[in-house]
Amino acid sequence: MVSKQKIHVNSLQLTVYGLEEYNQLPKGTSVAVMFALHGRLQNQSKMDSVSQAMCQSNERRQKGDRHILVVTFDLPNHGTRLNYKLANYAWKEGKHENPNHAVDMWGVVYSASRTVSELIDVLECYLFGPHHWVEVWGVMGFSMGGHATFLTAANDPRITVAIPIVGTSDYIALMKSRLNEAQLPAETYLPDSFCEMVLRRTAGLDMKLKTKHVLIINAEKDTLVSARFNHPLIDSLRQVHVGREGRDWRYDLVPDVGHEWCPYMIDVTVQWCQQWLITNNHNELSKI
């Protein structure tokens, strides 16, 4: 079992995985940090299994490799930060009806992406005092956390590794699809002014991700966040990414799986972290 330590940073309660093991290593051992963002209607504990799995890779570190730390926190209006539960539901979801679904979820996604960047600004001070031992920053997330992962990686140049799982890079396409399913009028529930704002915030994702080690995972039978919403980004990355598909960046469509975790997703996430966060690739031509 990997160690877990609670710390408070920027008025948030973070869980840091692997810190106790790191403190037993020679002082100054290089570090990689991965932020793991949970999904809608969940909390940071839902990222425990994948966080444990990523940190267990430290047991296979070779000389000169980095030690990976995984950081989780509750996204806005979730877990310990819950303020108004209805705001986390869709327009029509079971017995719940949230007329502000599009705006509410966007607020969480955008705030979470900014929070990761704000944590990168100061986290080393809390973990290592005056020392700068983090060499690589990464972000991954599931579902709504996956939406935020796209945005975070695109907008923060310090993040070089990203793993969005069953998330979308096209928030407006997702909302339009849900709006059609709910048979609700766009002028009331998805107004043009809101769409224009989101499109400005998400413009140019392909160009902003073209140098990132991004592993995009979708599920073939996912009806909640369909893989098709990422197809335009995938097509564009195949044209503009400076690296090689399958090595420097990758798209994985998992067969026979819906909007849920599966062992394969955790396995491939661990492999990607091993390749781009833990292993030092200073002499490899494919490093970008």
Side-chain angles (χ1 to χ4, degrees), residues 205-272:
L205 284 185
D206 54 349
M207 299 305 293
K208 294 175 180 177
L209 294 173
K210 72 176 184 177
T211 62
K212 312 275 182 167
H213 295 296
V214 56
L215 167 63
I216 302 170
I217 303 174
N218 282 118
E220 182 184 44
K221 294 186 176 180
D222 190 344
T223 58
L224 189 63
V225 182
S226 174
R228 73 180 186 274
F229 300 135
N230 283 330
H231 289 172
L233 176 66
I234 301 303
D235 291 342
S236 183
L237 286 177
R238 286 175 174 149
Q239 300 299 317
V240 304
H241 201 283
V242 302
R244 189 167 80 240
E245 183 177 0
R247 175 175 172 77
D248 298 299
W249 75 278
R250 177 174 165 183
Y251 176 54
D252 229 328
L253 182 62
V254 184
D256 300 320
V257 174
H259 194 78
E260 59 191 331
W261 282 101
C262 71
Y264 175 81
M265 292 175 181
I266 293 179
D267 290 345
V268 74
T269 294
V270 169
Q271 292 167 12
W272 201 251

Side-chain angles (χ1 to χ4, degrees), residues 56-119:
Q56 285 167 2
S57 297
N58 287 320
E59 300 171 4
R60 300 184 290 276
R61 285 178 61 250
Q62 302 296 314
K63 184 178 180 179
D65 284 352
R66 306 178 190 95
H67 181 95
I68 186 172
L69 303 176
V70 178
V71 176
T72 64
F73 59 92
D74 289 330
L75 271 56
N77 202 42
H78 286 73
T80 57
R81 303 171 71 189
L82 181 64
N83 181 54
Y84 182 48
K85 190 171 184 179
L86 181 62
N88 293 332
Y89 286 95
W91 285 301
K92 295 181 179 181
E93 188 168 10
K95 64 180 181 180
H96 303 284
E97 294 187 8
N98 174 20
N100 299 311
H101 171 52
V103 180
D104 283 338
M105 187 163 73
W106 170 255
V108 176
V109 169
Y110 187 65
S111 176
S113 71
R114 291 174 65 89
T115 296
V116 172
S117 292
E118 291 165 356
L119 288 172

